[in-house]
Amino acid sequence: MAAHIGRRLRKGAATTAVAAAAVAALSASQAPGVTVDDQGRQSAGDATSAPDAAADDSATGNSPYYTDLPPLNSPAPSPSAGSGEAGDRSASEAGIPATVLDAYKKAEAALRGTGCNLPWQLLAAIGKVESGQARGGRVDADGTTVSPILGPQLDGNGFALIRDTDNGAYDGNRMYDQAVGPMQFIPSTWSWAGRDGNGDGRKDPNNIYDAALAAGHYLCRYDWDLSQPGDLRKAILSYNNSTDYLNTVLSWLEYYRKGTHEIPDGTGALPDDRSDARPGVTPSAPGTTPPARPGTRPGKPSGSRPSPSPTAPGTGGPSTPPTTPPPSTPPTPTDTVHHLEDAGTGTLTAMAGHTFAERISTRAETQAGKAVAKVRIRFTIVGDTDSTFAGGESVATVTTDASGVAVAPALQAGERTGAFAVQAAVVGRSVKGVPYKVTVTQRAADALTRVGEKELTCVAGGEFAEPVAVEATYGGEAAGKVAVTAKLVTSADDPAEDDKGPYFKDADGKAVRTLTGLRTDADGRLTLPKLYADDTAGTFLLRLTTAGGATLDVELTVEPAATPSPDPDPSADPDPSTDPSTEPSQTPAA
């Protein structure tokens, strides 16, 4: 205990110097938007809150976090960099446990090529601040924490108020939510942001591979480019909406960018300082039962005597002064919501690959039908579909306006056709929601035109030199990925397949006169395979049709093969002018 107190005292004495030096180094390097004042204090410049950054919709619910700053020495110190307790602790603070580091790097690799430019060092910085790298890497071989890491219950007493959303499934608490796991997701966020990072078929917030991949997707969910300072700040703030949190994460991000080293699992040092530390109150480290808040009354000791009963005035006995009932907490807007109603949403139908013209609108109302503003409505896509909201997510949260209406982001239809649903629900309150039916139809074209004007001709028995190329449009715009059928028909009035004339070849080289499964490219264009002709001459018709009713007839001409000149008949009479038998005899003169 004495050693621990001594170390805390030494650390307290050095805090100002450490903080000033760390943030000064950060401001002089690549950390975007970070400045340091003349006292060594760090600020994030134009840091602004990200969309949907309210506590109940951030990754952590704005839970407490570790505030320790990086050490001043190199991230990868040499063996002689220090000795004794201080040197050993510095090395363990700078290192990242092997399994935890592997999870961060795998998450970065999984998101590479998305345009997000997520660095694994950002995940390491958040993991350090949230859980001290999974409590120093105390994970099993699969990456699951040896024991659960839980933040304090978010009961509104010093923290955000987030009532239970998972029936205790993740945090074991059926009254209030608690942040869970090495990346400290609250259950309501994990329900849609959770990922399977280790391929075991489960999404477990206590598994560092699952949690790191989920954190990566969460940070990239708004098409942010994390190589850009503004997007980086917004992404971090969306994880925990605090400028102090932003500054601490940026400090560790820059530290890890300079280099780090791998240490064995379970050997990492735990941070000391928590953001919820207050004079006279012990910080609530993740995984512990949160301490009593200032002003709360401890339970009555066992064996204590009951208080005397009050005596009526004038009887001479003791009297109990009237007690003032504790002030009641005024209801929040969310508390007043009785139900949700559709706010005039039209038909939700769109072609595959297109953006829905209609957006979902939902109205929050009291029991009397009065509009409720400032209520967060969560829209969740449900069903077998690859359609998403703008930004690529299946969940979007929007706050109701003064008229009580929340309008969901535009839906983007995927390639999978059919029906699915979008469920609207109140965040933090179990009330009747509103389901919306959504339909995705197949891609279609309303017009087909031929590309090129050259006549399509060939000789019987030959092949057409010019391929048939067409362009599909819908509403005047290029219709990409539209299914097209090409068929040689008998005539303009008879759509039956022709049994003679031009043909295509299948993979085995056999003649076929109907092709299905053709699709236009992204620009709405399609070039058909080569056409051949049999020995039948004449004019033929190639008919192309698409979903949506577009039709185009292309005329094909097959010319007769040239007739070769006959060979001379040796038995025929010779030309009299050259036949010697017809020449007059020339008898010599006597």
Side-chain angles (χ1 to χ4, degrees), residues 44 60 81 211 292-293 328 371 469 496 510 544:
T60 69
R293 301 287 176 264
S328 59
K510 296 180 180 179
L544 295 99

Side-chain angles (χ1 to χ4, degrees), residues 456-465 531-538 557-562:
L456 299 169
T457 62
C458 80
V459 177
E463 60 185 48
F464 288 81
L531 277 161
Y532 302 86
D534 61 13
D535 295 333
T536 307
T557 301
V558 179
E559 299 175 344

Side-chain angles (χ1 to χ4, degrees), residues 115-118 219-220 222-232:
C116 176
N117 293 313
L118 170 76
L219 294 165
C220 293
Y222 287 115
D223 288 335
W224 283 324
D225 179 357
L226 301 186
S227 67
Q228 300 299 314
D231 284 357
L232 176 64

Side-chain angles (χ1 to χ4, degrees), residues 155-497:
D155 56 7
N157 193 358
F159 307 119
L161 173 60
I162 305 180
R163 295 188 176 89
D164 176 58
T165 61
D166 65 332
N167 199 30
Y170 294 116
D171 54 15
N173 190 333
R174 295 188 179 184
M175 293 185 65
Y176 302 99
D177 272 353
Q178 295 176 249
V180 182
M183 303 304 277
Q184 290 289 278
F185 279 95
I186 54 173
S188 58
T189 301
W190 183 262
S191 66
W192 62 267
R195 295 292 192 278
D196 177 15
N198 62 353
D200 64 356
R202 300 174 60 235
K203 299 176 183 179
D204 183 2
N206 297 296
N207 182 276
I208 186 58
Y209 288 98
D210 294 359
L213 183 60
H217 277 278
Y218 185 91
L219 294 165
C220 293
R221 70 194 185 283
Y222 287 115
D223 288 335
W224 283 324
D225 179 357
L226 301 186
S227 67
Q228 300 299 314
D231 284 357
L232 176 64
R233 287 193 293 272
K234 287 187 285 188
I236 296 173
L237 284 168
S238 78
Y239 210 89
N240 190 314
N241 192 24
S242 161
T243 301
D244 289 338
Y245 179 87
L246 168 68
N247 292 339
T248 306
V249 169
L250 287 175
S251 298
W252 282 103
L253 169 60
E254 181 59 20
Y255 182 75
Y256 288 137
R257 275 176 169 164
K258 292 178 180 177
T260 186
H261 60 280
E262 179 184 296
I263 60 175
D265 289 344
T267 64
L270 286 177
D272 293 315
D273 299 326
R274 296 283 294 173
S275 62
D276 56 339
R278 295 187 296 273
V281 179
T282 303
S284 56
T288 63
T289 302
R293 301 287 176 264
T296 58
R297 185 177 63 183
K300 182 172 63 177
S302 59
S304 60
R305 293 183 302 171
S307 58
S309 301
T311 304
T315 61
S319 63
T320 302
T323 58
T324 302
S328 59
T329 303
T332 65
T334 300
D335 294 330
T336 67
V337 177
H338 177 265
H339 61 274
L340 296 180
E341 292 284 348
D342 175 42
T345 306
T347 302
L348 295 166
T349 301
M351 191 185 304
H354 288 234
T355 300
F356 284 76
E358 188 73 19
R359 294 171 65 176
I360 297 173
S361 298
T362 302
R363 176 180 160 97
E365 297 183 352
T366 65
Q367 187 170 10
K370 183 179 179 181
V372 184
K374 298 182 180 180
V375 174
R376 301 182 70 75
I377 307 299
R378 178 171 291 131
F379 299 93
T380 305
I381 295 175
V382 181
D384 185 15
T385 181
D386 56 350
S387 298
T388 63
F389 290 111
E393 290 295 340
S394 59
V395 176
T397 305
V398 182
T399 303
T400 57
D401 59 18
S403 62
V405 174
V407 180
L411 278 165
Q412 178 68 40
E415 295 300 324
R416 196 171 303 164
T417 60
F420 63 94
V422 173
Q423 182 72 32
V426 178
V427 176
R429 183 86 188 277
S430 179
V431 300
K432 183 180 179 181
V434 180
Y436 295 86
K437 182 180 178 181
V438 186
T439 304
V440 178
T441 61
Q442 64 178 326
R443 290 177 179 264
D446 56 15
L448 270 176
T449 56
R450 187 183 160 215
V451 177
E453 298 179 354
K454 187 176 180 179
E455 291 186 2
L456 299 169
T457 62
C458 80
V459 177
E463 60 185 48
F464 288 81
E466 185 80 11
V468 177
V470 296
E471 183 176 42
T473 56
Y474 186 86
E477 301 290 335
K481 300 181 182 180
V482 173
V484 179
T485 298
K487 182 178 182 180
L488 279 305
V489 297
T490 303
S491 67
D493 298 324
D494 186 354
E497 181 180 284

Side-chain angles (χ1 to χ4, degrees), residues 97 100 104 127-128 131-139 143 145 149 182 208 270:
V100 178
Y104 296 150
K128 180 69 173 181
S131 68
Q133 309 297 19
R135 287 204 194 116
R138 289 162 178 79
V139 297
T145 56
I149 302 176
I208 186 58
L270 286 177

